[in-house]
Amino acid sequence: MSYSPYLLKGQKALVTGASSGIGEAVARYLALSGAAVAINYHSEAEEAQKIVDEIKANNGEAFAIKANVSQEDEVKAMFSQTLDQFGTIDILVSNAGVQKDSPFVDMSLEQWNKVIEVNLTGQFLCVREAAKEFLRRGVQPHISSAAGKIICISSVHEIIPWSGHVNYAASKGGINMMMRSIAQELAPHKIRVNSIAPGAIKTPINKSAWDTPQAEAKLLELIPAKRVGEVEDIAKAAVWLASDDSDYVNGTTLFVDGGMSLYPGFADNG
Ligand SMILES: NC(=O)c1ccc[n+]([C@@H]2O[C@H](COP(=O)([O-])OP(=O)(O)OC[C@H]3O[C@@H](n4cnc5c(N)ncnc54)[C@H](OP(=O)(O)O)[C@@H]3O)[C@@H](O)[C@H]2O)c1
């Protein structure tokens, strides 16, 4: 797929957790495709500004905006500033996420709450604000055939159980039913709501799983494609889901995982 600056021309996007990893790549690819992008960050202001500067140097439009997605007042302020800056919004990529891993019986309520608050409640808060603006504005046929596009970044762990990561897997399983229920409710308004479920993608969140040859070899046992994913694999899928090329796709999870969700352990008869 080539990146045409016309594919998302005139569209305004907000990407949460865009100061690192998958969110950063999604923001860059949306900008390459012609969208103006609000780069949300939580703690990495410098990183976020660097991405903004690079997008601008490439003739794109972007600005950085700090908000903790798990805090309702901060999410409302982020959307209000984005609307002030861009006039409206057409695309939300709800990506910010964290892991707080622990054996189940040792998992503290704090670890449980933190992951649910950022990964699930954070998506609820952001999707709700985006949907309000899509409903207020409606379809602009010269911009897109949809009134708005929402992309929730989930994980293969919305279907694959994950020992030692009960909070994370529960948050991603929650995203699946949240996304589909919102899609069902908003479809009549021409709002499309979908998820991307990445497999193992090389980012800081899972560095220990791929940053030594031994760790990578162990990880590759779980990946039929026999390569660890790159952030661009997810960014390209996000551009497609944000564009009218996926106009008939609503309420679905697109697994971008090199086949990780195909139960590779059963490939040799189990
Ligand atoms: N990498 C993978 O293999 C993989 C696989 C499946 C799913 N995912 C999902 O992909 C998403 C992105 O993960 P990643 O791998 O790109 O991780 P990452 O490199 O660690 O990036 C996480 C991003 O989330 C932001 N963030 C964290 N807490 C936040 C909060 N409370 N409010 C706003 N932003 C917050 C961080 O912002 P600051 O740095 O500014 O604090 C950062 O930009 C997550 O939802 C993750 O679950 C990743």
Side-chain angles (χ1 to χ4, degrees):
M1 183 177 180
S2 59
Y3 285 85
S4 158
Y6 300 105
L7 191 63
L8 302 176
K9 188 173 183 301
Q11 302 203 37
K12 318 291 182 189
L14 169 63
V15 182
T16 68
S19 51
S20 175
I22 289 172
E24 171 180 347
V26 168
R28 288 182 193 281
Y29 271 66
L30 292 177
L32 274 178
S33 307
V37 189
I39 307 281
N40 160 252
Y41 66 95
H42 181 228
S43 53
E44 299 295 328
E46 262 181 45
E47 272 306 307
Q49 193 53 47
K50 207 174 97 191
I51 297 155
V52 167
D53 292 343
E54 284 174 24
I55 289 174
K56 283 183 168 171
N58 227 358
N59 296 321
E61 190 183 344
F63 76 102
I65 185 155
K66 179 177 165 69
N68 180 340
V69 295
S70 68
Q71 301 301 311
E72 187 173 29
D73 53 342
E74 294 188 33
V75 170
K76 286 190 167 180
M78 172 170 71
F79 273 83
S80 146
Q81 285 173 47
T82 303
L83 297 185
D84 281 351
Q85 184 92 10
F86 287 163
T88 188
I89 179 176
D90 306 281
I91 299 160
L92 167 70
V93 182
S94 194
N95 163 78
V98 292
Q99 282 183 221
K100 299 282 172 204
D101 309 330
S102 164
F104 174 59
V105 292
D106 299 327
M107 186 173 283
S108 65
L109 181 59
E110 196 185 353
Q111 286 172 314
W112 169 267
N113 281 341
K114 176 76 184 170
V115 171
I116 298 296
E117 280 168 11
V118 176
N119 296 12
L120 185 56
T121 307
Q123 295 224 11
F124 158 71
L125 292 170
C126 292
V127 173
R128 190 182 60 176
E129 292 312 302
K132 282 183 200 164
E133 172 59 12
F134 299 161
L135 290 171
R136 181 200 68 75
R137 197 209 51 234
V139 178
Q140 296 175 290
H142 62 292
I143 297 287
S144 171
S145 51
K149 283 85 53 146
I150 287 162
I151 300 165
C152 300
I153 302 297
S154 171
S155 164
V156 287
H157 295 295
E158 76 168 46
I159 55 164
I160 301 179
W162 204 13
S163 155
H165 308 258
V166 167
N167 46 4
Y168 185 85
S171 74
K172 298 300 186 178
I175 287 173
N176 175 270
M177 283 312 286
M178 182 187 74
M179 177 278 290
R180 293 172 66 207
S181 301
I182 298 171
Q184 188 188 61
E185 189 166 334
L186 299 184
H189 302 280
K190 288 214 163 259
I191 295 170
R192 294 194 297 113
V193 190
N194 293 290
S195 289
I196 295 174
I201 309 295
K202 285 188 180 175
T203 76
I205 210 174
N206 59 358
K207 198 161 187 284
S208 61
W210 50 263
D211 73 342
T212 64
Q214 295 85 338
E216 183 160 357
K218 189 160 180 280
L219 183 57
L220 288 178
E221 289 172 16
L222 299 174
I223 308 174
K226 294 299 167 210
R227 75 170 172 89
V228 182
E230 303 289 344
V231 289
E232 290 78 11
D233 291 310
I234 307 304
K236 291 172 190 175
V239 169
W240 180 70
L241 279 177
S243 77
D244 284 352
D245 285 353
S246 60
D247 187 51
Y248 208 50
V249 180
N250 203 356
T252 199
T253 298
L254 177 57
F255 284 79
V256 183
D257 67 351
M260 187 181 244
S261 50
L262 297 173
Y263 298 94
F266 284 83
D268 59 358
N269 209 21

